[in-house]
Amino acid sequence: MTTSTQGRDKLTFVSWAPEPAKVKQKMLFASSKDELRRSLVGIAVEIQGTEYSEVAYESVLDKANRGN
């Protein structure tokens, strides 16, 4: 997702780990996500969601406009 509201694009990294997931699954996801995140270059905003409202378009846009 990119946004150009201030004349520039921002690469956004979104991760999704729903609350009902089992603890073991969440731990595996977290360790895998961290490794992936470190290998990527240029990410300006990171969104971690456990419920829809955290990854909804308006929420992501707000975080991107605030600078994270």
Side-chain angles (χ1 to χ4, degrees):
M1 163 186 252
T2 61
T3 179
S4 297
T5 58
Q6 296 176 345
R8 62 182 182 204
D9 293 337
K10 292 185 178 182
L11 185 60
T12 304
F13 183 82
V14 179
S15 60
W16 176 258
E19 280 296 326
K22 295 178 181 178
V23 174
K24 185 175 180 179
Q25 292 173 326
K26 287 182 184 182
M27 290 174 58
L28 178 61
F29 174 78
S31 63
S32 301
K33 176 195 66 111
D34 289 342
E35 187 67 29
L36 175 62
R37 171 64 177 88
R38 281 193 294 272
S39 69
L40 299 173
V41 177
I43 295 175
V45 180
E46 185 171 349
I47 308 291
Q48 297 181 26
T50 58
E51 60 182 52
Y52 177 74
S53 64
E54 296 169 331
V55 295
Y57 178 78
E58 295 79 15
S59 177
V60 173
L61 186 59
D62 181 52
K63 289 178 184 177
N65 287 334
R66 284 187 287 152
N68 207 12

